[in-house]
Amino acid sequence: MAKPFKDLRAKLPAAAQKRATARANVLMQEMPLYELRQARQLSQVQLARELHVGQANVSKIEQRTDVYISTLRSYVEAMGGELEITAKFPQGVVKINQFETIAAKPSKPRRARGA
């Protein structure tokens, strides 16, 4: 007879339970796109509808290792999230804002021709 996982976990030593919890937290913070979509309880078809593309396109995005930042941003936003890109250095973390939408950026003043 199968035993509930919580019963099996309860029998583990406290240190092993703590390690398992820590590992689970790390795994929940790092995942490929398809797992993120599944964790958000969305199908490829539902996400494709939000992105106004076919389901096959969602599948291709999830299988690629090299994706345009704009495509990744659209994918994340279609799930209700917001994409942030950061660079980590020994001195600290820097948010890269070069890839934010053009509409959100302040416009630069234009020079008059011949000036």
Side-chain angles (χ1 to χ4, degrees):
M1 178 187 248
K3 294 182 180 183
F5 181 74
K6 66 179 181 177
D7 293 346
L8 294 173
R9 184 178 169 94
K11 292 180 181 179
L12 288 174
Q17 288 182 29
K18 189 174 181 178
R19 284 192 309 273
T21 299
R23 180 70 179 138
N25 289 336
V26 168
L27 292 174
M28 291 299 292
Q29 293 177 11
E30 300 176 4
M31 61 182 72
L33 291 176
Y34 80 93
E35 285 183 9
L36 177 58
R37 175 183 49 76
Q38 291 173 345
R40 304 282 303 160
Q41 298 181 341
L42 292 168
S43 69
Q44 286 184 344
V45 172
Q46 290 170 311
L47 193 55
R49 202 174 302 127
E50 287 291 322
L51 291 168
H52 305 289
V53 299
Q55 175 272 326
N57 287 359
V58 173
S59 178
K60 287 178 186 176
I61 292 169
E62 292 178 351
Q63 293 176 25
R64 289 186 178 152
T65 56
D66 190 9
V67 179
Y68 284 119
I69 292 171
S70 58
T71 302
L72 183 57
R73 181 189 308 115
S74 297
Y75 184 99
V76 170
E77 288 175 354
M79 290 188 291
E82 181 181 337
L83 181 66
E84 289 187 359
I85 299 175
T86 59
K88 295 180 182 179
F89 297 95
Q91 300 84 2
V93 176
V94 177
K95 179 181 176 186
I96 308 296
N97 64 4
Q98 176 178 340
F99 307 111
E100 293 174 358
T101 59
I102 293 172
K105 289 185 179 179
S107 60
K108 293 182 183 177
R110 293 182 160 230
R111 288 185 172 175
R113 288 193 171 192

